[in-house]
Amino acid sequence: MKAITYRSYGGPDVLEYGDVPEPKLGPDSVLVRVVAASVNPVDWKIQAGYLDGVLDVVFPVIPGWDVAGVVERVGVAVTEFAPGDEVIGYAREDMVRRGTFAEYVAAPVRTLARKPANLDFAQAAGLPLAGLTAYQALTRALELKPGETVLVHAAAGGVGSLAVQIAVALGARVIGTAGEHNHDYLRTLGAEPVAYGDGLADRVRALAPDGVDAVLDLVGGEALRISPALLTGGGRLASVADGAVLALGGHYVFVRPDAADLTALTELAESGRLTVEVAATFPLERAAEAQRLNAAGHTRGKIVVTVP
Ligand SMILES: NC(=O)c1ccc[n+]([C@@H]2O[C@H](COP(=O)([O-])OP(=O)(O)OC[C@H]3O[C@@H](n4cnc5c(N)ncnc54)[C@H](OP(=O)(O)O)[C@@H]3O)[C@@H](O)[C@H]2O)c1
């Protein structure tokens, strides 16, 4: 089958397009014919070697954790899906070896859910990792409740655009940070936009003089540092981007594959409360360009790789 691989750590230039053997199908896995796979910052961070201390990486690596596709075959222990089913998945394992930037991926069944019927494959591929991150952070770490106000740092990106919609669906008021060019976009999602950078704390206080009930940080650094002072008494803080959140009394969230959570996202999409903005699509052989664009750090929504 055709796939993108890399044989050593590095930037987009180490990616190669070529033939690799099809994956074998273990008892708990589902062979998915990949229609689309989305790009996440973690792909190029793993590829750069940043996670070498925590993840076993077996070269050559097929990158990619997000998938939308069609079930080709199921492992002998799998009862949840059948050939022909349209699925989405955050196909992460603890070992980095065979990902989704390929014609086929053998995804553990615990990482999959049915694809939302009203999203096309490119949109659906953008949902799993980013959507699960937003959903798990907002519902578990932050325990966001109806009527509360949440501040989302980096609200226009992959995780942020989904976090805004999920928070709105939960009945919260959302303030989201983004560059000016994304402010109208944030309004369409239901958020009140504020520009990030110097003076951010004052701009948030102008919108929420009594403070916000929760902050979801998707940026880290200065955005995280100013956040505790923006909270109401008892307000909650979570970051997916900066472990320094722990020293500030907040939660560090690392997203987990979870079929039930993924199904909740599918249901939100099908109820019309969650959609995925696809900023750009690239054919599989141009995955390096997709990765470069994502690494530039200003994606609105998701960048997707499609498999012919
Ligand atoms: N721990 C986990 O489980 C987990 C899971 C998913 C993601 N993450 C991490 O979370 C971060 C965000 O992921 P993502 O997929 O959403 O990335 P992304 O889609 O690449 O985010 C791009 C967005 O970030 C915005 N942005 C850039 N600098 C900003 C700043 N200083 N303040 C506010 N917004 C800013 C950009 O908006 P403008 O164009 O308007 O500037 C753009 O819309 C990454 O570091 C990623 O590795 C962690």
Side-chain angles (χ1 to χ4, degrees):
M1 68 171 183
K2 295 294 184 199
I4 294 290
T5 57
Y6 57 93
R7 293 163 199 280
S8 59
Y9 286 137
D13 292 344
V14 301
L15 294 177
E16 299 171 34
Y17 176 71
D19 290 299
V20 302
E22 271 190 29
K24 292 180 183 167
L25 189 58
D28 295 332
S29 291
V30 173
L31 189 68
V32 179
R33 178 171 61 78
V34 180
V35 180
S38 87
V39 183
N40 289 287
V42 73
D43 299 331
W44 48 263
K45 291 179 185 179
I46 293 171
Q47 190 178 313
Y50 300 159
L51 278 76
D52 191 62
V54 284
L55 289 173
D56 264 326
V57 173
V58 182
F59 297 106
V61 170
I62 300 173
W65 277 343
D66 267 337
V67 64
V70 181
V71 173
E72 186 81 10
R73 277 198 329 267
V74 298
V76 289
V78 172
T79 55
E80 292 89 337
F81 297 103
D85 288 349
E86 295 183 349
V87 292
I88 55 173
Y90 166 36
R92 167 164 77 69
E93 299 178 81
D94 280 346
M95 189 176 282
V96 177
R97 185 174 30 184
R98 302 191 61 123
T100 59
F101 286 23
E103 288 183 300
Y104 294 94
V105 63
V109 67
R110 66 184 168 82
T111 68
L112 298 173
R114 64 182 182 82
K115 171 186 158 291
N118 59 335
L119 298 189
D120 63 30
F121 280 96
Q123 292 174 306
L127 189 57
L129 190 156
L132 287 170
T133 305
Y135 184 82
Q136 291 170 2
L138 291 169
T139 63
R140 308 251 159 71
L142 293 171
E143 300 184 78
L144 193 65
K145 295 174 194 66
E148 290 191 323
T149 299
V150 59
L151 169 65
V152 179
H153 291 294
V159 180
S161 60
L162 295 168
V164 169
Q165 296 173 77
I166 293 166
V168 168
L170 289 168
R173 175 191 178 204
V174 186
I175 299 171
T177 73
E180 299 279 352
H181 60 288
N182 277 323
H183 284 195
D184 282 342
Y185 170 61
L186 286 191
R187 285 187 193 98
T188 67
L189 299 180
E192 295 165 52
V194 287
Y196 56 80
D198 285 348
L200 171 59
D202 292 335
R203 290 189 288 279
V204 173
R205 280 196 198 96
L207 290 174
D210 298 329
V212 298
D213 302 292
V215 174
L216 175 55
D217 167 48
L218 310 174
V219 178
E222 182 66 7
L224 175 64
R225 198 187 61 72
I226 63 161
S227 292
L230 298 172
L231 291 169
T232 55
R236 291 93 66 202
L237 175 62
S239 179
V240 305
D242 194 337
V245 69
L246 296 173
L248 299 172
H251 302 267
Y252 180 74
V253 175
F254 198 93
V255 58
R256 298 179 65 169
D258 186 305
D261 289 351
L262 204 47
T263 301
L265 293 171
T266 289
E267 288 167 358
L268 272 175
E270 288 181 340
S271 71
R273 289 177 291 171
L274 185 64
T275 193
V276 177
E277 171 88 4
V278 175
T281 61
F282 294 84
L284 182 63
E285 62 266 33
R286 290 172 55 201
E289 287 172 61
Q291 205 179 65
R292 268 188 209 98
L293 186 59
N294 181 252
H298 294 287
T299 306
R300 174 187 292 178
K302 297 292 299 181
I303 295 166
V304 173
V305 166
T306 56
V307 181

